[in-house]
C-alpha cells in the first residue's frame, strides 16, 4: 500500500483537522460592478429622451396642458374675467392661480414640456436625417440567394448572354429612375427613398413649427385698444387698453404708425327669424406707417386685417359711444366728449357706461347711464327695452351723482365703473332723466347740466406682431407636403440575376420587394426585360418540364421514387 501526500489548501493558522475539503471551499470574492457612472446615466437619459415614444408622450402632454388655456379665462386675453372667476371661486381659484392655470402658455411647467418636446424631436429626427442621407448615397443591397422566396418573383430563359441581360436590366431600371448596381452576376436596384424623405420632412417641419411658435412668443406682442369714431390711435405702449409683450420684447420695438377711425358701419338683418343678427362689420380707417408718411385709406373688416409696421391690425368687436356735454354750476363746460358704453344685453345692444367730470365746480359730477339703441316700451309697459341693435331710436337714461370721484388719490380706477358711491359720491335727489339726442337735463339742485349730443360707435382693435408667423406658415405647408409624400411613395427593390443554363441559353431570375402591398410595376419591369421576342405565355419545354414562367412547380417538393403517369 502506497502512501499519497495530498496537497493542503488550508490557510496558515487553520487547524488541518477542521479545514473543509477544497471542493467545498467558497471561491475568492469577485469584485462587484461599480455602476455606469454619471456619464453613463446621462447617455441613458439622452437615449430615452430622443426616442419617438417619448416625443409622442410629450406631444400629448402639450395638448393636455393646452386644455386649461381653452377652458379657463386667461390673463393675456381677458384679465377682467380672471378677476371675476377668482371672486366667484374663493377656494378653487387661488389653487388654480398657483399652478398658473390662468396664464397657461406662459407657465414654467408648460415651457418645460415645450422645450423637452423640441429637444426630443431634434435629437430623434436630426440623426435620422443624416442616416437617411448616407443610405441614399450607399449602394443598393446585394441580391438575396433565393429570389424565388420574395413576394414577387419570375424566372425565364433567353438566348441573350448574361452580360447582355444585365446591361439591359441596368438600362431598363435606370429608365425607371432606380439606383442600379451590377456586381456578382446580378443587378441590384432600389428607389422610393422619397417616401422616407417625406417622413423626415414632416418631422423637421414640425420641429421648425415649434421653433417658429417659440420665436413669436419671445419677440412678438399683442395689444387691444378701443377706438371711437373720429379718434386716432398712435402705436404707443401707454395708449393700449391691454398689452401682452413677448418674453424678449422691448417697448422701443413698437412701429410708429397711427390709425384713425372715420366711420364704423354694422349691417343687421331687418326681417325674418334672423332679425337683429349682424351680417357685416366695416371700419373705414386712415393710417400712416410713419409720422411723416402718406396717409392711406383702408376698409378694415373681419378676416381682412391691416398690415402696417410689421404688425397686423384686426377688427374684434364694436359698441356705442354716446357724446355728452356737461356744464357745472357756473355754466362752464367741464366735459365734452364721447364715452364708450359696454353692452349689457348682446342681442339688442342695450349698453351701460359712466361719465366722470372731475373738473366741475364747486362739486365734482358723475353720471351712470343706460343706452337703448332702439327704445320701445316693454310688453307690460313698465320699463324700456331695446327692440333692435341698430340705432333707430336711441334713448339714454342718466342717474346723477356729485361729490368726490376719487381721482385725486392716485388710485387707478376703471373708466366703466363709479367708485365711492354712497360714500364720497352722493346721488342727486331727482337726478334721473330720459334723454334723446339733442335734449338736456338740468340737475334739480343747480349743480350743473348734461346734454345728450348724439350717438357714435366704437370698435376694438387687436394689434398683433408675430415674427414667427411666416416661418410657421411655411413649416405647416412643408409638413403637409411631407406627410402626403410619405403616404404616396413606397420603397421598392428589384434584383435581376442572369446565369448560364442548359443548351447555351441564359436563365434570368427577377425578384421584387415593395414596402407594403406589391404593385404592378414589377410586372412592367419583367415585361420590359423579356423584350418583344419573348412570349410570357409560351408552351412549356416538354424535356425540362418547366412552365412558361421558368419556375418548376415541383422544385420545392421532396425527392422520391419516380412514378409513371397513369393512362
Amino acid at each position: 500500500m502506497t502512501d499519497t501526500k495530498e496537497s493542503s489548501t488550508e490557510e496558515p493558522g487553520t487547524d488541518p483537522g477542521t479545514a473543509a475539503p477544497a471542493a467545498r471551499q467558497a471561491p475568492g470574492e469577485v469584485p462587484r460592478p461599480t455602476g455606469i457612472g454619471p456619464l453613463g446615466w446621462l447617455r441613458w437619459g439622452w437615449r430615452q429622451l430622443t426616442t419617438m415614444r417619448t416625443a409622442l408622450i410629450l406631444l400629448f402632454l402639450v395638448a393636455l396642458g393646452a386644455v386649461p388655456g381653452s377652458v379657463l379665462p386667461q390673463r393675456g386675453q381677458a384679465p377682467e374675467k380672471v378677476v371675476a372667476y377668482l371672486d366667484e371661486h374663493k377656494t378653487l381659484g387661488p389653487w388654480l392661480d398657483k399652478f398658473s392655470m390662468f396664464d397657461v402658455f406662459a407657465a414654467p411647467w408648460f415651457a418645460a414640456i415645450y422645450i423637452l418636446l423640441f429637444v426630443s424631436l431634434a435629437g430623434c429626427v436630426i440623426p435620422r436625417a443624416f442616416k437617411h442621407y448616407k443610405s441614399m448615397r450607399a449602394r443598393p443591397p446585394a441580391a438575396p440567394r433565393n429570389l424565388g422566396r420574395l413576394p414577387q418573383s419570375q424566372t425565364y430563359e433567353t438566348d441573350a448572354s448574361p452580360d447582355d441581360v444585365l446591361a439591359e436590366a441596368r438600362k431598363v431600371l435606370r429608365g425607371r429612375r432606380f439606383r442600379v448596381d451590377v456586381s456578382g452576376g446580378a443587378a441590384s436596384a432600389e428607389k422610393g427613398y422619397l417616401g422616407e424623405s417625406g417622413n423626415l420632412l414632416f418631422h423637421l417641419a414640425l420641429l421648425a413649427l415649434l421653433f417658429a411658435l417659440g420665436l413669436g412668443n419671445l419677440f412678438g406682442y399683442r395689444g387691444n385698444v378701443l377706438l371711437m369714431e373720429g379718434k386716432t390711435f398712435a402705436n404707443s405702449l401707454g395708449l393700449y387698453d391691454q398689452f401682452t409683450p413677448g418674453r424678449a420684447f422691448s417697448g422701443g420695438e413698437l412701429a410708429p404708425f397711427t390709425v384713425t377711425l372715420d366711420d364704423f358701419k354694422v349691417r343687421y338683418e331687418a326681417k325674418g327669424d334672423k332679425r337683429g343678427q349682424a351680417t357685416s362689420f366695416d371700419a373705414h380707417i386712415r393710417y400712416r406707417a410713419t409720422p411723416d408718411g402718406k396717409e392711406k385709406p383702408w376698409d378694415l373688416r373681419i378676416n381682412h386685417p391691416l398690415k402696417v409696421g410689421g404688425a397686423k391690425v384686426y377688427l374684434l368687436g364694436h359698441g356705442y359711444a354716446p357724446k355728452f356735454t356737461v356744464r357745472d354750476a357756473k355754466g362752464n363746460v367741464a366735459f365734452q366728449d364721447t364715452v364708450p358704453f359696454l353692452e349689457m344685453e348682446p342681442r339688442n345692444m342695450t349698453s351701460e357706461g359712466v361719465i366722470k367730470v372731475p373738473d366741475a365746480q364747486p362739486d365734482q359730477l358723475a353720471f351712470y347711464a343706460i343706452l337703448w339703441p332702439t327704445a320701445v316700451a316693454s310688453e307690460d309697459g313698465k320699463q324700456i327695452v331695446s327692440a333692435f341693435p341698430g340705432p333707430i331710436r336711441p334713448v339714454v337714461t342718466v342717474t346723477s351723482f356729485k361729490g368726490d370721484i376719487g381721482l385725486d388719490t392716485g388710485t387707478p380706477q376703471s373708466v366703466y365703473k363709479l367708485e365711492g358711491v354712497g360714500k364720497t359720491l352722493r346721488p342727486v335727489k331727482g337726478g334721473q332723466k330720459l334723454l334723446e339726442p339733442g335734449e338736456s337735463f338740468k340737475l334739480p339742485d343747480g349743480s350743473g347740466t348734461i346734454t345728450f349730443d348724439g350717438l357714435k360707435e366704437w370698435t376694438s382693435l387687436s394689434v398683433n406682431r408675430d415674427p414667427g408667423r411666416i416661418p410657421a406658415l411655411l413649416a405647416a405647408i412643408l409638413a403637409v407636403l411631407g406627410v402626403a409624400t410619405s403616404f404616396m411613395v413606397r420603397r421598392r427593390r428589384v434584383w435581376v440575376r442572369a446565369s448560364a443554363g442548359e443548351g447555351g441559353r441564359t436563365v434570368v431570375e427577377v425578384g421584387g420587394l415593395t414596402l407594403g402591398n406589391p404593385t404592378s410595376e414589377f410586372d412592367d419591369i419583367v415585361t420590359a426585360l423579356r423584350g418583344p421576342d419573348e412570349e410570357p405565355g409560351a408552351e412549356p419545354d416538354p424535356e425540362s418540364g418547366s412552365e412558361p414562367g421558368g419556375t418548376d412547380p415541383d422544385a420545392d417538393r421532396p425527392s422520391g421514387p419516380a412514378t409513371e403517369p397513369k393512362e
Side-chain angles (χ1 to χ4, degrees):
M1 187 172 181
T2 305
D3 293 334
T4 58
K5 187 177 180 180
E6 297 182 357
S7 60
S8 176
T9 57
E10 61 267 10
E11 297 181 0
T14 304
D15 187 1
T18 60
R24 297 183 181 180
Q25 292 183 4
E29 185 176 356
V30 179
R32 296 182 178 179
T34 58
I36 61 176
L39 188 59
W41 281 109
L42 287 176
R43 290 197 187 100
W44 178 85
W46 176 255
R47 286 196 298 267
Q48 298 302 314
L49 179 62
T50 55
T51 59
M52 188 57 66
R53 180 183 65 255
T54 303
L56 291 175
I57 292 174
L58 291 172
L59 189 61
F60 171 75
L61 290 178
V62 168
L64 187 64
V67 172
S70 303
V71 176
L72 298 173
Q74 300 295 295
R75 284 192 173 89
Q77 287 75 34
E80 69 284 354
K81 294 183 179 180
V82 175
V83 174
Y85 188 93
L86 292 173
D87 291 339
E88 294 176 3
H89 304 81
K90 299 293 186 181
T91 303
L92 180 61
W95 280 101
L96 293 175
D97 200 13
K98 286 182 180 180
F99 292 100
S100 302
M101 292 299 175
F102 301 112
D103 200 6
V104 168
F105 302 105
W109 56 267
F110 190 85
I113 298 174
Y114 188 89
I115 294 173
L116 284 176
L117 176 60
F118 185 86
V119 174
S120 177
L121 282 176
C124 178
V125 175
I126 294 178
R128 277 182 57 196
F130 283 108
K131 291 181 180 179
H132 178 62
Y133 176 76
K134 291 181 179 179
S135 64
M136 289 177 61
R137 303 287 295 177
R139 297 170 59 183
R145 181 179 301 177
N146 190 350
L147 296 179
R149 293 183 178 180
L150 295 176
Q152 290 178 292
S153 63
Q154 285 195 31
T155 304
Y156 66 92
E157 293 183 1
T158 180
D159 292 331
S161 65
D163 292 339
D164 292 340
V165 170
L166 295 180
E168 181 66 18
R170 179 196 293 270
K171 178 181 177 181
V172 170
L173 293 172
R174 282 188 173 178
R176 292 179 174 270
R177 298 186 178 182
F178 278 84
R179 294 189 303 113
V180 185
D181 178 64
V182 178
S183 62
S188 303
E190 186 176 24
K191 76 173 181 179
Y193 277 97
L194 192 60
E196 178 65 17
S197 299
N199 190 2
L200 286 172
L201 177 63
F202 167 74
H203 288 91
L204 288 172
L206 182 59
L207 193 64
L209 181 62
L210 291 175
F211 180 79
L213 293 177
L215 183 69
N217 289 332
L218 278 177
F219 299 100
Y221 67 85
R222 176 175 295 176
N224 295 339
V225 61
L226 188 146
L227 187 60
M228 291 177 284
E229 288 178 329
K231 301 291 184 178
T232 299
F233 164 72
N235 190 30
S236 176
L237 195 60
L239 298 181
Y240 279 98
D241 298 321
Q242 179 185 334
F243 190 81
T244 306
R247 299 292 182 179
F249 175 79
S250 173
E253 299 176 10
L254 290 173
F257 64 84
T258 58
V259 176
T260 302
L261 178 62
D262 291 330
D263 187 26
F264 187 84
K265 295 293 184 183
V266 185
R267 293 178 177 84
Y268 300 97
E269 288 285 350
K271 299 179 181 179
D273 297 336
K274 296 182 179 180
R275 182 178 185 273
Q277 181 176 340
T279 58
S280 65
F281 303 89
D282 293 303
H284 302 284
I285 64 174
R286 290 175 286 118
Y287 72 94
R288 295 179 188 268
T290 57
D292 57 349
K294 183 180 179 181
E295 196 171 48
K296 300 178 181 179
W298 185 264
D299 187 11
L300 191 63
R301 303 188 303 272
I302 300 295
N303 297 326
H304 188 244
L306 168 67
K307 300 178 183 179
V308 57
K312 282 189 174 183
V313 182
Y314 295 90
L315 186 64
L316 289 185
H318 76 105
Y320 290 106
K323 184 177 180 180
F324 297 95
T325 299
V326 179
R327 297 179 181 272
D328 58 16
K330 298 179 181 181
N332 299 322
V333 176
F335 179 88
Q336 189 176 32
D337 203 354
T338 53
V339 180
F341 278 30
L342 299 181
E343 63 182 25
M344 301 170 58
E345 184 262 319
R347 179 176 178 82
N348 292 314
M349 293 294 293
T350 302
S351 307
E352 63 178 348
V354 298
I355 304 100
K356 298 181 181 181
V357 192
D359 297 331
Q361 298 293 333
D363 294 319
Q364 295 180 349
L365 298 176
F367 302 88
Y368 171 74
I370 298 177
L371 167 70
W372 293 277
T374 303
V376 296
S378 60
E379 295 181 357
D380 56 7
K382 296 182 179 180
Q383 58 183 354
I384 300 175
V385 295
S386 180
F388 192 74
I392 298 176
R393 184 175 178 263
V395 171
V396 171
T397 177
V398 295
T399 302
S400 311
F401 300 86
K402 69 178 182 177
D404 184 9
I405 300 176
L407 296 178
D408 298 333
T409 62
T411 304
Q413 293 186 9
S414 171
V415 296
Y416 305 107
K417 185 178 180 182
L418 288 178
E419 304 288 346
V421 175
K423 298 178 181 178
T424 58
L425 274 180
R426 304 179 305 277
V428 176
K429 187 175 182 180
Q432 291 184 340
K433 181 70 174 179
L434 288 174
L435 299 175
E436 295 188 13
E439 293 184 346
S440 299
F441 171 50
K442 186 175 182 179
L443 301 184
D445 59 357
S447 299
T449 304
I450 182 171
T451 303
F452 179 25
D453 296 323
L455 189 63
K456 292 188 176 183
E457 296 189 62
W458 59 261
T459 180
S460 58
L461 304 178
S462 175
V463 182
N464 184 8
R465 179 178 179 268
D466 186 2
R469 180 179 63 252
I470 300 300
L473 176 61
L474 295 177
I477 294 174
L478 291 176
V480 172
L481 292 177
V483 73
T485 303
S486 66
F487 282 119
M488 294 174 61
V489 181
R490 291 179 290 175
R491 183 82 64 84
R492 286 151 289 174
R493 291 175 178 174
V494 176
W495 294 276
V496 180
R497 178 181 288 124
S499 58
E502 297 180 0
R505 293 173 65 85
T506 300
V507 178
V508 183
E509 299 176 84
V510 186
L513 182 63
T514 302
L515 184 64
N517 296 324
T519 62
S520 60
E521 183 182 29
F522 178 79
D523 298 328
D524 297 337
I525 293 173
V526 174
T527 301
L529 291 175
R530 285 178 179 271
D533 297 334
E534 297 290 339
E535 293 294 338
E539 293 295 330
D541 187 355
E543 296 183 359
S544 63
S546 60
E547 298 203 1
T551 302
D552 186 356
D554 298 329
D556 294 333
R557 296 181 184 176
S559 59
T563 58
E564 293 292 334
K566 296 182 180 179
E567 295 186 356

